[in-house]
Amino acid sequence: MDLRRLLSTPVTVLALAGLLVSGCSSGSSAPGASTSGTRASGSAPSADLAPYYTQKVTWRSCGAPGFECATMKAPLDYQKPKDGDIELAVSRKKATDPGRRIGSLLVNPGGPGGSAIQYLQGYAAIGYPAAVRARYDMVAVDPRGVARSEPVECLTGKQMDTYTEVDQTPDDASETQKLTTSLKGFAQGCEKHSAKILPHVSTVEAARDMDVLRGILGDKKLNYVGASYGTFLGATYAGLFPDRVGRLVLDGAMDPSLSSLEMNRDQTAGFETAFQSFAADCIKHKNCPLGTASTADASHRLEAFFSRLDAKPVPTGQSRPLTESLATTGVISAMYDETSWPDLRTALTQAMSGNGAGLLALSDSYYERSGDGKYANLMYANAAVNCLDLPPAFTAPASVTKALPSFEKASPVFGRGFAWAALNCAYWPVPATGRAHRIEAKGAAPIVVVGTIRDPATPYKWAKSLAAQLSSGTLLTYDGDGHTAYGRGSTCIDTAINTYLLDGTPPKNGKQCS
């Protein structure tokens, strides 16, 4: 489990809807020309970057009818453009009403590590409101290191199975050693298979890639909908190129001013808030596996269940039993969308009766593990970007132990496991190039920042903070559960965002919807 994986649209929900989408946390950028949040706008591209902006790409049919795909080139290292290129996969679906076309609308579902192309083809270009799709070419680029854009690779499927099963609530020195060995092995695998690209998958570089794509598409301004980690990507773009900001929607916002430790601890509290909301709903049902007494009792029962799994995993009907870590990940997966709560109730009931198949399936969906034992590169790219964007939350097990009380205060249920999960970047082979910082994007057009009050992965206070940081930020609030807000059932939210995308009129700052 990597806590800083931010999903805009959980796989479990999309599987139920018959879609093909996934998404998913991250950090900040650093000083320096190629990896900083300092402005890069206000002039034409430099001579060594101009060929990238003016390159001609070849569009070809791909995927479902109406979709086109292409490959664009970007510098592997923006500080040294002559040292080689990276190829990025792009897809689009043209506006259905070209006579009233506004321009291109880039979309990103989150991550880091979520495939924007998969999101585009599986949902955005067919599921966004017809009025939006009529007036925009819907476009996506898989960020560098992700999916079809020279993906980061780390472990085999069997190695990843072992990695996901490791105990993340160590009780003694031996278990702590096993956990750190696992984290080191993951990092070493990434270095072995992806050494060339690991230093060049920062969010700043991905944002610069989006500006190159903007130039290729012929748009003077970037119009963009980013969810979850995609909000950090969009905010980073605004900080770099404020005068090129068109209509930006940042849904499920991140706070770039936070350190990795602060971010992980805030997310811990966010998942506790989401779990309490789930528990309050669960105890209303006679068949709630966590009882019907109170949310406090439900929390104690889940903690006790995790403890039993720690001592003795339960069968799943497969060669992989349900361990405490897999069960925790399964529960977390269902916190992203309240429509998954009935499935979680069923999975918990079964697991507490000795059949862990349901919770294992939820965990596998979170990790994007297919039935044949193969994993998408989501978690590999997630770690690669996160560990580059911010210095590690912890540098050694001793620092985790010291912080445990604050994490357990944030979440009695999840705190211990989340704290140890935040040790993952301590052993990363590439030093972080980013630092936490505020993003103001002075001079940018109005930017809509969306926050959901009981969002588990991007706590609501992050949206409030980002909207306040951005010089042109306007906050739109969804009083609801789950991760992100656009397209999740609130007519009020959808109308406000659609109006902004189509007319350029942002909602009144502080507008609240339910």
Side-chain angles (χ1 to χ4, degrees):
M1 171 185 61
D2 186 330
L3 181 55
R4 289 194 291 139
R5 172 190 187 266
L6 302 190
L7 290 156
S8 66
T9 317
V11 180
T12 48
V13 176
L14 292 167
L16 291 172
L19 301 179
L20 305 173
V21 191
S22 66
C24 25
S25 127
S26 174
S28 239
S29 45
S34 72
T35 53
S36 84
T38 55
R39 292 193 183 196
S41 59
S43 62
S46 59
D48 51 1
L49 293 180
Y52 294 101
Y53 280 82
T54 58
Q55 66 183 287
K56 303 298 182 183
V57 301
T58 301
W59 293 99
R60 63 190 184 281
S61 298
C62 65
F67 286 97
E68 297 177 307
C69 290
T71 301
M72 60 173 275
K73 293 183 182 296
L76 178 65
D77 185 343
Y78 275 91
Q79 287 185 320
K80 302 175 181 179
K82 295 181 180 180
D83 282 3
D85 300 335
I86 185 171
E87 293 191 344
L88 307 176
V90 185
S91 184
R92 73 179 178 185
K93 190 174 186 183
K94 290 187 176 181
T96 59
D97 187 357
R100 302 178 64 224
R101 179 180 175 275
I102 294 171
S104 304
L105 180 65
L106 267 68
V107 295
N108 183 283
S115 170
I117 290 178
Q118 192 177 6
Y119 178 71
L120 176 81
Q121 296 182 353
Y123 175 63
I126 58 177
Y128 272 28
V132 173
R133 292 182 283 115
R135 302 191 62 194
Y136 283 101
D137 292 345
M138 302 293 294
V139 181
V141 54
D142 277 350
R144 50 178 61 208
V146 173
R148 308 179 197 189
S149 295
E150 301 197 18
V152 173
E153 298 294 347
C154 301
L155 303 178
T156 65
K158 289 185 177 180
Q159 289 172 331
M160 190 64 180
D161 280 346
T162 301
Y163 176 77
T164 62
E165 294 166 7
V166 171
D167 187 352
Q168 293 201 358
T169 57
D171 301 312
D172 53 37
S174 175
E175 290 187 351
T176 300
Q177 180 64 45
K178 289 180 181 179
L179 175 58
T180 57
T181 298
S182 175
L183 295 173
K184 290 176 182 177
F186 183 96
Q188 290 166 359
C190 298
E191 183 178 32
K192 177 181 178 180
H193 296 291
S194 304
K196 178 181 177 181
I197 195 174
L198 285 188
H200 301 292
V201 293
S202 72
T203 296
V204 167
E205 287 162 312
R208 289 181 178 272
D209 294 340
M210 291 202 304
D211 196 57
V212 172
L213 178 56
R214 175 200 58 77
I216 293 171
L217 295 171
D219 293 313
K220 293 182 178 180
K221 306 279 187 177
L222 179 79
N223 303 306
Y224 174 83
V225 176
S228 196
Y229 159 80
T231 67
F232 177 60
L233 181 58
T236 298
Y237 180 91
L240 287 166
F241 308 103
D243 60 338
R244 300 176 194 172
V245 168
R247 300 170 188 179
L248 262 62
V249 177
L250 309 179
D251 183 13
M254 291 181 60
D255 181 354
S257 70
L258 297 177
S259 69
S260 183
L261 175 59
E262 293 169 325
M263 188 174 297
N264 277 276
R265 193 158 46 208
D266 279 357
Q267 279 190 304
T268 303
F271 277 98
E272 179 68 21
T273 296
F275 173 73
Q276 290 300 319
S277 190
F278 162 75
D281 176 78
C282 186
I283 63 175
K284 296 176 184 178
H285 299 265
K286 293 181 179 180
N287 64 345
C288 176
L290 302 178
T292 58
S294 66
T295 56
D297 182 57
S299 296
H300 293 321
R301 287 174 182 248
L302 185 60
E303 290 178 64
F305 173 60
F306 286 158
S307 295
R308 293 196 298 273
L309 288 175
D310 190 22
K312 185 179 180 180
V314 301
T316 62
Q318 304 179 33
S319 60
R320 302 157 60 225
L322 181 71
T323 64
E324 179 191 14
S325 59
L326 290 172
T328 302
T329 303
V331 172
I332 289 169
S333 176
M335 293 299 100
Y336 283 88
D337 192 295
E338 65 273 23
T339 62
S340 296
W341 291 355
D343 293 331
L344 178 58
R345 289 199 306 270
T346 299
L348 281 170
T349 299
Q350 294 173 343
M352 290 177 173
S353 300
N355 178 6
L359 277 180
L360 181 62
L362 287 172
S363 177
D364 285 350
S365 72
Y366 181 91
Y367 285 118
E368 291 200 356
R369 181 189 190 275
S370 61
D372 61 2
K374 296 179 180 179
Y375 289 78
N377 97 303
L378 170 66
M379 300 310 298
Y380 310 141
N382 182 263
V385 178
N386 282 333
C387 296
L388 199 59
D389 275 351
L390 280 180
F394 301 117
T395 56
S399 56
V400 180
T401 301
K402 184 178 181 180
L404 280 176
S406 66
F407 275 77
E408 292 176 323
K409 180 179 179 181
S411 175
V413 178
F414 303 114
R416 187 175 181 83
F418 281 9
W420 283 104
L423 184 62
N424 68 324
C425 289
Y427 309 107
W428 201 246
V430 182
T433 56
R435 297 293 184 274
H437 67 284
R438 291 171 57 84
I439 296 179
E440 298 181 2
K442 293 181 179 179
I447 299 172
V448 175
V449 179
V450 189
T452 298
I453 288 180
R454 291 178 295 282
D455 190 316
T458 51
Y460 176 60
K461 68 177 185 178
W462 290 1
K464 294 174 65 177
S465 178
L466 179 59
Q469 289 174 47
L470 292 167
S471 62
S472 60
T474 180
L475 178 65
L476 176 62
T477 298
Y478 174 48
D479 185 358
D481 296 290
H483 185 36
T484 72
Y486 187 42
R488 296 190 65 247
S490 170
T491 301
C492 174
I493 289 287
D494 292 353
T495 299
I497 293 176
N498 294 339
T499 298
Y500 169 68
L501 290 175
L502 296 172
D503 300 338
T505 304
K508 182 179 179 181
N509 187 37
K511 180 179 177 63
Q512 186 159 325
C513 298
S514 58

PDB file of all heavy atoms in Angstrom, residues 357-375:
ATOM      1  N   ALA A 357     -11.821 -13.705  -0.330  1.00  0.00           N
ATOM      2  CA  ALA A 357     -11.770 -13.437  -1.772  1.00  0.00           C
ATOM      3  C   ALA A 357     -12.245 -12.036  -2.120  1.00  0.00           C
ATOM      4  O   ALA A 357     -11.669 -11.369  -2.988  1.00  0.00           O
ATOM      5  CB  ALA A 357     -12.601 -14.479  -2.521  1.00  0.00           C
ATOM      6  N   GLY A 358     -13.298 -11.557  -1.480  1.00  0.00           N
ATOM      7  CA  GLY A 358     -13.853 -10.247  -1.804  1.00  0.00           C
ATOM      8  C   GLY A 358     -12.892  -9.113  -1.489  1.00  0.00           C
ATOM      9  O   GLY A 358     -12.697  -8.201  -2.310  1.00  0.00           O
ATOM     10  N   LEU A 359     -12.287  -9.156  -0.304  1.00  0.00           N
ATOM     11  CA  LEU A 359     -11.326  -8.110   0.051  1.00  0.00           C
ATOM     12  C   LEU A 359     -10.074  -8.198  -0.814  1.00  0.00           C
ATOM     13  O   LEU A 359      -9.480  -7.176  -1.163  1.00  0.00           O
ATOM     14  CB  LEU A 359     -10.949  -8.209   1.526  1.00  0.00           C
ATOM     15  CG  LEU A 359     -11.909  -7.558   2.524  1.00  0.00           C
ATOM     16  CD1 LEU A 359     -11.398  -7.735   3.950  1.00  0.00           C
ATOM     17  CD2 LEU A 359     -12.100  -6.073   2.216  1.00  0.00           C
ATOM     18  N   LEU A 360      -9.675  -9.415  -1.186  1.00  0.00           N
ATOM     19  CA  LEU A 360      -8.525  -9.560  -2.067  1.00  0.00           C
ATOM     20  C   LEU A 360      -8.815  -8.932  -3.429  1.00  0.00           C
ATOM     21  O   LEU A 360      -7.951  -8.268  -4.019  1.00  0.00           O
ATOM     22  CB  LEU A 360      -8.167 -11.035  -2.237  1.00  0.00           C
ATOM     23  CG  LEU A 360      -6.957 -11.329  -3.136  1.00  0.00           C
ATOM     24  CD1 LEU A 360      -5.692 -10.718  -2.556  1.00  0.00           C
ATOM     25  CD2 LEU A 360      -6.791 -12.825  -3.329  1.00  0.00           C
ATOM     26  N   ALA A 361     -10.036  -9.105  -3.916  1.00  0.00           N
ATOM     27  CA  ALA A 361     -10.410  -8.512  -5.203  1.00  0.00           C
ATOM     28  C   ALA A 361     -10.367  -6.992  -5.136  1.00  0.00           C
ATOM     29  O   ALA A 361      -9.913  -6.324  -6.076  1.00  0.00           O
ATOM     30  CB  ALA A 361     -11.798  -8.982  -5.620  1.00  0.00           C
ATOM     31  N   LEU A 362     -10.830  -6.415  -4.019  1.00  0.00           N
ATOM     32  CA  LEU A 362     -10.770  -4.963  -3.859  1.00  0.00           C
ATOM     33  C   LEU A 362      -9.320  -4.485  -3.814  1.00  0.00           C
ATOM     34  O   LEU A 362      -8.969  -3.464  -4.408  1.00  0.00           O
ATOM     35  CB  LEU A 362     -11.503  -4.545  -2.587  1.00  0.00           C
ATOM     36  CG  LEU A 362     -13.028  -4.614  -2.621  1.00  0.00           C
ATOM     37  CD1 LEU A 362     -13.608  -4.362  -1.222  1.00  0.00           C
ATOM     38  CD2 LEU A 362     -13.601  -3.608  -3.609  1.00  0.00           C
ATOM     39  N   SER A 363      -8.471  -5.235  -3.128  1.00  0.00           N
ATOM     40  CA  SER A 363      -7.055  -4.876  -3.066  1.00  0.00           C
ATOM     41  C   SER A 363      -6.411  -4.967  -4.449  1.00  0.00           C
ATOM     42  O   SER A 363      -5.663  -4.070  -4.855  1.00  0.00           O
ATOM     43  CB  SER A 363      -6.326  -5.809  -2.092  1.00  0.00           C
ATOM     44  OG  SER A 363      -4.944  -5.535  -2.068  1.00  0.00           O
ATOM     45  N   ASP A 364      -6.721  -6.033  -5.179  1.00  0.00           N
ATOM     46  CA  ASP A 364      -6.146  -6.193  -6.516  1.00  0.00           C
ATOM     47  C   ASP A 364      -6.575  -5.059  -7.444  1.00  0.00           C
ATOM     48  O   ASP A 364      -5.794  -4.599  -8.290  1.00  0.00           O
ATOM     49  CB  ASP A 364      -6.566  -7.540  -7.117  1.00  0.00           C
ATOM     50  CG  ASP A 364      -5.811  -8.717  -6.506  1.00  0.00           C
ATOM     51  OD1 ASP A 364      -4.834  -8.476  -5.764  1.00  0.00           O
ATOM     52  OD2 ASP A 364      -6.202  -9.868  -6.769  1.00  0.00           O
ATOM     53  N   SER A 365      -7.808  -4.609  -7.314  1.00  0.00           N
ATOM     54  CA  SER A 365      -8.266  -3.508  -8.159  1.00  0.00           C
ATOM     55  C   SER A 365      -7.503  -2.229  -7.834  1.00  0.00           C
ATOM     56  O   SER A 365      -7.175  -1.446  -8.723  1.00  0.00           O
ATOM     57  CB  SER A 365      -9.770  -3.291  -7.992  1.00  0.00           C
ATOM     58  OG  SER A 365     -10.084  -2.708  -6.744  1.00  0.00           O
ATOM     59  N   TYR A 366      -7.210  -2.028  -6.574  1.00  0.00           N
ATOM     60  CA  TYR A 366      -6.443  -0.844  -6.161  1.00  0.00           C
ATOM     61  C   TYR A 366      -5.045  -0.864  -6.781  1.00  0.00           C
ATOM     62  O   TYR A 366      -4.543   0.154  -7.260  1.00  0.00           O
ATOM     63  CB  TYR A 366      -6.351  -0.824  -4.635  1.00  0.00           C
ATOM     64  CG  TYR A 366      -5.614   0.347  -4.051  1.00  0.00           C
ATOM     65  CD1 TYR A 366      -6.278   1.525  -3.705  1.00  0.00           C
ATOM     66  CD2 TYR A 366      -4.243   0.304  -3.837  1.00  0.00           C
ATOM     67  CE1 TYR A 366      -5.597   2.604  -3.152  1.00  0.00           C
ATOM     68  CE2 TYR A 366      -3.553   1.373  -3.292  1.00  0.00           C
ATOM     69  CZ  TYR A 366      -4.229   2.516  -2.954  1.00  0.00           C
ATOM     70  OH  TYR A 366      -3.551   3.585  -2.414  1.00  0.00           O
ATOM     71  N   TYR A 367      -4.428  -2.025  -6.773  1.00  0.00           N
ATOM     72  CA  TYR A 367      -3.078  -2.160  -7.313  1.00  0.00           C
ATOM     73  C   TYR A 367      -3.057  -2.357  -8.827  1.00  0.00           C
ATOM     74  O   TYR A 367      -1.990  -2.454  -9.428  1.00  0.00           O
ATOM     75  CB  TYR A 367      -2.363  -3.346  -6.663  1.00  0.00           C
ATOM     76  CG  TYR A 367      -1.896  -3.091  -5.250  1.00  0.00           C
ATOM     77  CD1 TYR A 367      -2.379  -3.847  -4.185  1.00  0.00           C
ATOM     78  CD2 TYR A 367      -0.953  -2.108  -4.980  1.00  0.00           C
ATOM     79  CE1 TYR A 367      -1.934  -3.629  -2.890  1.00  0.00           C
ATOM     80  CE2 TYR A 367      -0.504  -1.875  -3.694  1.00  0.00           C
ATOM     81  CZ  TYR A 367      -0.992  -2.643  -2.646  1.00  0.00           C
ATOM     82  OH  TYR A 367      -0.551  -2.421  -1.367  1.00  0.00           O
ATOM     83  N   GLU A 368      -4.230  -2.445  -9.447  1.00  0.00           N
ATOM     84  CA  GLU A 368      -4.346  -2.724 -10.881  1.00  0.00           C
ATOM     85  C   GLU A 368      -3.642  -4.036 -11.241  1.00  0.00           C
ATOM     86  O   GLU A 368      -2.818  -4.115 -12.153  1.00  0.00           O
ATOM     87  CB  GLU A 368      -3.822  -1.557 -11.726  1.00  0.00           C
ATOM     88  CG  GLU A 368      -4.717  -0.333 -11.636  1.00  0.00           C
ATOM     89  CD  GLU A 368      -4.531   0.643 -12.791  1.00  0.00           C
ATOM     90  OE1 GLU A 368      -3.654   0.416 -13.646  1.00  0.00           O
ATOM     91  OE2 GLU A 368      -5.280   1.622 -12.836  1.00  0.00           O
ATOM     92  N   ARG A 369      -4.001  -5.067 -10.493  1.00  0.00           N
ATOM     93  CA  ARG A 369      -3.509  -6.419 -10.766  1.00  0.00           C
ATOM     94  C   ARG A 369      -4.570  -7.170 -11.563  1.00  0.00           C
ATOM     95  O   ARG A 369      -5.733  -7.245 -11.168  1.00  0.00           O
ATOM     96  CB  ARG A 369      -3.233  -7.173  -9.468  1.00  0.00           C
ATOM     97  CG  ARG A 369      -2.683  -8.591  -9.661  1.00  0.00           C
ATOM     98  CD  ARG A 369      -2.649  -9.324  -8.331  1.00  0.00           C
ATOM     99  NE  ARG A 369      -1.922 -10.589  -8.407  1.00  0.00           N
ATOM    100  CZ  ARG A 369      -2.445 -11.742  -8.797  1.00  0.00           C
ATOM    101  NH1 ARG A 369      -3.735 -11.808  -9.157  1.00  0.00           N
ATOM    102  NH2 ARG A 369      -1.708 -12.847  -8.806  1.00  0.00           N
ATOM    103  N   SER A 370      -4.179  -7.713 -12.688  1.00  0.00           N
ATOM    104  CA  SER A 370      -5.118  -8.444 -13.527  1.00  0.00           C
ATOM    105  C   SER A 370      -5.235  -9.891 -13.052  1.00  0.00           C
ATOM    106  O   SER A 370      -4.433 -10.364 -12.235  1.00  0.00           O
ATOM    107  CB  SER A 370      -4.688  -8.403 -14.988  1.00  0.00           C
ATOM    108  OG  SER A 370      -3.416  -9.004 -15.144  1.00  0.00           O
ATOM    109  N   GLY A 371      -6.217 -10.596 -13.590  1.00  0.00           N
ATOM    110  CA  GLY A 371      -6.462 -11.961 -13.183  1.00  0.00           C
ATOM    111  C   GLY A 371      -5.324 -12.917 -13.485  1.00  0.00           C
ATOM    112  O   GLY A 371      -5.197 -13.965 -12.847  1.00  0.00           O
ATOM    113  N   ASP A 372      -4.482 -12.569 -14.449  1.00  0.00           N
ATOM    114  CA  ASP A 372      -3.356 -13.444 -14.797  1.00  0.00           C
ATOM    115  C   ASP A 372      -2.097 -13.123 -13.992  1.00  0.00           C
ATOM    116  O   ASP A 372      -1.014 -13.644 -14.284  1.00  0.00           O
ATOM    117  CB  ASP A 372      -3.057 -13.363 -16.293  1.00  0.00           C
ATOM    118  CG  ASP A 372      -2.673 -11.959 -16.736  1.00  0.00           C
ATOM    119  OD1 ASP A 372      -2.603 -11.040 -15.882  1.00  0.00           O
ATOM    120  OD2 ASP A 372      -2.459 -11.761 -17.949  1.00  0.00           O
ATOM    121  N   GLY A 373      -2.251 -12.263 -12.988  1.00  0.00           N
ATOM    122  CA  GLY A 373      -1.126 -11.978 -12.104  1.00  0.00           C
ATOM    123  C   GLY A 373      -0.213 -10.861 -12.552  1.00  0.00           C
ATOM    124  O   GLY A 373       0.826 -10.610 -11.931  1.00  0.00           O
ATOM    125  N   LYS A 374      -0.582 -10.167 -13.620  1.00  0.00           N
ATOM    126  CA  LYS A 374       0.235  -9.058 -14.101  1.00  0.00           C
ATOM    127  C   LYS A 374      -0.277  -7.734 -13.524  1.00  0.00           C
ATOM    128  O   LYS A 374      -1.467  -7.559 -13.316  1.00  0.00           O
ATOM    129  CB  LYS A 374       0.210  -9.010 -15.626  1.00  0.00           C
ATOM    130  CG  LYS A 374       0.833 -10.230 -16.285  1.00  0.00           C
ATOM    131  CD  LYS A 374       0.764 -10.129 -17.805  1.00  0.00           C
ATOM    132  CE  LYS A 374       1.387 -11.350 -18.462  1.00  0.00           C
ATOM    133  NZ  LYS A 374       1.300 -11.283 -19.946  1.00  0.00           N
ATOM    134  N   TYR A 375       0.638  -6.821 -13.299  1.00  0.00           N
ATOM    135  CA  TYR A 375       0.309  -5.503 -12.760  1.00  0.00           C
ATOM    136  C   TYR A 375       0.537  -4.429 -13.813  1.00  0.00           C
ATOM    137  O   TYR A 375       1.507  -4.493 -14.579  1.00  0.00           O
ATOM    138  CB  TYR A 375       1.183  -5.177 -11.546  1.00  0.00           C
ATOM    139  CG  TYR A 375       0.863  -5.971 -10.298  1.00  0.00           C
ATOM    140  CD1 TYR A 375       1.287  -7.287 -10.163  1.00  0.00           C
ATOM    141  CD2 TYR A 375       0.139  -5.406  -9.254  1.00  0.00           C
ATOM    142  CE1 TYR A 375       1.002  -8.023  -9.020  1.00  0.00           C
ATOM    143  CE2 TYR A 375      -0.146  -6.129  -8.100  1.00  0.00           C
ATOM    144  CZ  TYR A 375       0.288  -7.435  -7.990  1.00  0.00           C
ATOM    145  OH  TYR A 375       0.000  -8.156  -6.841  1.00  0.00           O
TER     146      TYR A 375
END
